[in-house]
Amino acid sequence: VTGGASGIGAACATAFGQEGDNVVICYHSDKAPADIIRSEVEAAGGQAMALKLDVRREAEVESMFDSVMKRFAAPQVLVNSAGLNMSGKKVVEMDKATWDAVVDTDLTGAFLTCRRMLREVEKAKLPGRIINISSIHAVAMRSGGAGYDSAKAGLAALTATLALETAAMDVTVNAIA
């Protein structure tokens, strides 16, 4: 679960743990909340690990999956919940670094994690499930939300494309908004 240390990602990680699943809680910078969720998963009977991950960095995504493969084997479920919300700045006021941070986290990060996940389930000949956490703002735009709204609209398109590409692989790809 990317973004697994807070919000929707934390709720997903906890729910998987309550089902007795093995869970990887990926966090961006603050390990303490991820460790709490890891403990909750383990108390519920699952195995868990907390891993630092910046989904914008391809090398970190690859390293995270390598760590998961060493401990648990090929993952069968991926929840992409890592995200940055809107900047509150109108496009005319927004600098490129702000745009890049939001789009790279909310869209490119999902692309990188989905790609690696799909490579692993294909290689292992396993079914797979990808759940991308999107937003109503993929279709309901707001002033000051250009980066976030655009990234979530892109995530909806990526999700639909992946659903088409993976249907024959016994992989489902869905977005929750």
Side-chain angles (χ1 to χ4, degrees), residues 70-84:
K70 285 179 188 167
R71 172 122 186 234
F72 297 125
Q76 289 185 266
V77 178
L78 169 65
V79 177
N80 278 310
S81 186
L84 295 177

Side-chain angles (χ1 to χ4, degrees), residues 148-161:
Y148 182 81
D149 299 351
S150 297
K152 293 301 182 176
L155 183 60
L158 175 65
T159 300
T161 300

Side-chain angles (χ1 to χ4, degrees), residues 99-111:
W99 171 271
D100 288 346
V102 174
V103 173
D104 287 353
T105 300
D106 294 12
L107 180 57
T108 304
F111 160 76

Side-chain angles (χ1 to χ4, degrees), residues 119-141:
R119 288 175 176 168
E120 295 304 333
V121 297
E122 184 176 46
K123 189 178 356 175
K125 298 187 182 348
L126 292 169
R129 307 293 176 251
I130 295 174
I131 303 161
N132 292 323
I133 305 300
S134 188
S135 169
I136 188 63
H137 297 293
V139 295
M141 306 330 176

Side-chain angles (χ1 to χ4, degrees), residues 8 10 19 23 30 47 49 51-52 56 58-59 64 72 75 89-90 101-102 107 120 122 143 150 172:
I8 294 169
E19 293 296 319
V23 181
D30 188 1
Q47 294 184 50
M49 58 193 293
L51 294 174
K52 187 173 185 335
R56 300 173 297 178
E58 186 173 12
M64 181 272 294
F72 297 125
K89 293 182 181 179
K90 293 181 180 178
V102 174
L107 180 57
E120 295 304 333
E122 184 176 46
S143 179
S150 297
T172 59

